[in-house]
Amino acid sequence: MARPDVEEVELELFVRALKLRHGYDFGEYARASFRRRVNALLQGIGCETIGELTARVLRDDALLPKVIAGLSVPVSEMFRDPAVFRKLRDEVLPLLASYPHINIWQAGCAFGQEVYSLAILLEEAGLYDRTQIYATDFSDAAIARAQEGIFPAREARLYSENYLAAGGAHSLADYYHARYDLITIDAALKRNVTFANHNLVCDGVFCEAHLILCRNVLIYFTDSLQNHVLELFRDSLVRSGFLCLGTRENIAFARAAQNFRAIDPRLRIFQLAQR
Amino acid sequence: MKRRIDLVAIGCSAGGLRALHTLFAGLDRRFPLPLVAVCHTGSDDVSLLCELLARSATLPVDEATERTSPLPGRIYVAPSGYHLLLGRDGRFALSAEARVGFARPSIDVWFESASAACGGRVAGIVLTGANSDGADGLARIRERGGIAIVQEPSDAEVDVMPAAALAAAGADHCLPLAQIAPLLNRLFVE
Ligand SMILES: C[S@@+](CC[C@H](N)C(=O)[O-])C[C@H]1O[C@@H](n2cnc3c(N)ncnc32)[C@H](O)[C@@H]1O
């Protein structure tokens, strides 16, 4: 029998340790990219081997947030894939407008770029005052950053281009204050956002959402965890509610995919199918 | 004796589109392995790129789709905006992690994960380009017992990438672009 390589074994033990000691279960994360993140974490924390990291994270609770932050991939943009936001603006929001109160769940919110993109869309559609956005992530560090709404000024140009390509009605600069090399999102955009820690692996339904946005999160999950989360989304959506995934995500291997009908297959915008 | 190889991994950047045309036009129609290219194009629409390549390629060209397996005798191009990886289960995986050396997709990330997933049985090819992405990845491919093929820098539209690959990894074959498809046919077609 072929002997598994030592890193493979170390990785397995690391995953076990995080689960047993800290309740974070990465057992159903896609291994190829997870392994890369663990290796990057070693450098960041100054450990030689995964075994050393495991020993430290078992004993040192203060290290945990750093580990979770390192395993999370809080890479995002405002209005990333502008065509998706244009479609939401043109076709999904008009349908949501018929509800007296709108709940939107953004799962895996990273540093909040998409939360504020949504808030702007809703503001411009005249719907924001009757909308509640729940922005969740499993990394406390990410949520804290999202709550601040502060981004490097060098990102502003890309964000503005995306905003205009998404059909933005004004100038993105109307929604932030630039100071030195930072931009700060207008506090008024935060008025209807609730930030919370929610782990898609183990936490359950907490709201009735009309729209769930979860882009580029399920790509890190195995088929079975992807299926589990799609079931969670199904159970969290109102009848005919909408689900928006990342534009390169493939749910063809998940049984729960049959609960969703693609209203735009290319942009990965789905609607809960009638049961 | 033929070394066993499961997959051909290709990396290119500036000038890459033209190089891929030449490479893919020269492959035998019975080519028995999947070929997967990471090309920094700067364009968002890889499906258009695939269509263009398909016009001159002897094999079908598609964008690599998350969670699907690369099939023998087919060509795949990495989507833009994500890193492309190969899982131990032999299926494509994507990651939205930060750029590696200004690139996403990164050739290094692709070469490393493909080589790990295939137990080293990968042939890596580095073509024209203006940065050094792919050099480390090619070194990993060689360390694990795979085959390294590099376009002769003097023959490349931009020589930086093949030169960096040669410096970091060396090569089992270093030759002009026009001879790479014939080499692959010789090595892998029965
Ligand atoms: C690549 S970001 C996606 C950002 C944004 N949606 C986008 O597409 O631009 C992935 C986010 O998912 C979060 N995440 C990963 N695993 C999670 C889990 N089990 N539960 C909740 N969030 C998770 C990470 O912390 C990270 O912020």
Side-chain angles (χ1 to χ4, degrees):
Chain A
M1 204 186 83
R3 225 157 54 121
D5 74 42
V6 64
E7 240 194 54
E8 203 62 32
V9 177
E10 283 185 300
L11 197 63
E12 195 62 45
L13 295 174
F14 173 66
V15 167
R16 292 278 296 157
L18 279 179
K19 181 175 176 188
L20 292 176
R21 175 71 184 156
H22 298 291
Y24 279 94
D25 188 355
F26 290 95
E28 292 290 325
Y29 275 57
R31 271 298 153 92
S33 58
F34 183 71
R35 186 175 180 148
R36 276 187 55 75
R37 289 195 296 287
V38 174
N39 280 320
L41 194 59
L42 294 184
Q43 301 200 336
I45 290 184
C47 290
E48 289 289 319
T49 62
I50 302 176
E52 191 185 330
L53 176 63
T54 306
R56 282 182 56 186
V57 81
L58 277 173
R59 299 273 168 190
D60 181 3
D61 286 352
L63 195 59
L64 186 67
K66 215 170 167 185
V67 169
I68 299 303
L71 298 178
S72 136
V73 187
V75 177
S76 189
E77 282 168 29
M78 284 185 81
F79 298 98
R80 182 177 188 194
D81 305 317
V84 171
F85 286 89
R86 183 181 276 271
K87 187 86 178 183
L88 290 176
R89 177 194 294 268
D90 293 345
E91 290 183 30
V92 175
L93 294 193
L95 294 170
L96 296 186
S98 63
Y99 294 98
H101 182 82
I102 305 165
N103 285 331
I104 299 181
W105 177 15
Q106 213 238 310
C109 68
F111 292 167
Q113 292 91 333
E114 288 189 335
V115 183
Y116 298 117
S117 308
L118 276 173
I120 290 170
L121 275 192
L122 290 157
E123 193 83 288
E124 292 184 1
L127 297 174
Y128 195 35
D129 283 318
R130 50 185 161 111
T131 302
Q132 173 68 50
I133 302 178
Y134 298 97
T136 65
D137 204 286
F138 83 145
S139 162
D140 284 332
I143 292 172
R145 288 284 300 272
Q147 233 153 353
E148 285 175 4
I150 298 177
F151 305 106
R154 67 184 132 77
E155 304 272 304
R157 208 173 109 196
L158 173 67
Y159 292 1
S160 295
E161 284 169 8
N162 287 349
Y163 165 77
L164 292 174
H170 305 283
S171 152
L172 188 64
D174 295 349
Y175 299 102
Y176 63 74
H177 312 280
R179 242 181 108 230
Y180 305 113
D181 46 3
L182 298 174
I183 59 173
T184 304
I185 297 293
D186 191 343
L189 280 181
K190 300 178 187 170
R191 66 186 187 277
N192 293 336
V193 185
T194 303
F195 291 93
N197 188 310
H198 181 283
N199 187 341
L200 292 166
V201 175
C202 52
D203 295 329
V205 175
F206 67 92
C207 74
E208 280 218 303
H210 298 87
L211 164 65
I212 297 176
L213 207 78
C214 181
R215 298 185 353 111
N216 303 316
V217 181
L218 305 186
I219 52 174
Y220 301 106
F221 297 172
T222 61
D223 292 354
S224 70
L225 181 55
Q226 183 197 44
N227 185 64
H228 167 80
V229 176
L230 287 173
E231 284 173 357
L232 173 67
F233 290 162
R234 175 197 66 201
D235 298 340
S236 301
L237 282 170
V238 302
R239 263 185 70 186
S240 309
F242 295 91
L243 171 66
C244 182
L245 302 176
T247 59
R248 291 296 181 276
E249 293 186 46
N250 179 5
I251 58 172
F253 297 103
R255 221 176 334 105
Q258 65 196 28
N259 295 293
F260 298 95
R261 183 175 66 83
I263 62 166
D264 191 320
R266 197 175 59 88
L267 298 178
R268 305 294 198 269
I269 302 178
F270 303 85
Q271 190 168 24
L272 196 59
Q274 304 291 349
R275 264 180 276 185
Chain B
M1 202 197 81
K2 291 189 181 184
R3 255 191 277 189
R4 239 195 93 210
I5 292 291
D6 294 346
L7 178 143
V8 179
I10 302 158
C12 57
S13 186
L17 185 55
R18 221 167 331 159
L20 290 179
H21 266 296
T22 308
L23 177 61
F24 295 155
L27 292 171
D28 191 305
R29 285 178 196 282
R30 295 163 304 161
F31 198 79
L33 304 176
L35 302 107
V36 186
V38 167
C39 181
H40 311 144
T41 58
S43 117
D44 270 355
D45 198 355
V46 167
S47 61
L48 187 68
L49 183 90
C50 292
E51 266 174 48
L52 287 175
L53 288 170
R55 285 187 200 160
S56 56
T58 54
L59 304 171
V61 185
D62 291 295
E63 182 177 325
T65 303
E66 195 215 8
R67 295 175 202 267
T68 64
S69 308
L71 300 174
R74 289 180 163 261
I75 295 166
Y76 300 87
V77 180
S80 68
Y82 297 85
H83 293 300
L84 180 68
L85 300 100
L86 197 65
R88 287 293 155 106
D89 56 2
R91 298 192 296 160
F92 288 123
L94 299 177
S95 164
E97 264 153 277
R99 291 163 187 278
V100 175
F102 299 106
R104 192 178 56 204
S106 146
I107 301 167
D108 283 333
V109 170
W110 166 238
F111 279 6
E112 277 169 24
S113 88
S115 153
C118 296
R121 294 181 300 276
V122 168
I125 306 181
V126 175
L127 304 173
T128 168
N131 53 62
S132 60
D133 194 12
D136 292 343
L138 197 67
R140 298 304 303 275
I141 287 179
R142 279 198 99 186
E143 276 163 33
R144 287 198 160 96
I147 301 176
I149 300 169
V150 178
Q151 180 177 12
E152 213 169 84
S154 63
D155 174 71
E157 202 169 313
V158 183
D159 63 4
V160 179
M161 207 152 97
L166 282 179
D172 299 286
H173 305 270
C174 176
L175 66 187
L177 178 62
Q179 292 175 22
I180 296 182
L183 171 72
L184 294 178
N185 292 336
R186 261 197 325 277
L187 287 175
F188 303 121
V189 182
E190 288 304 310

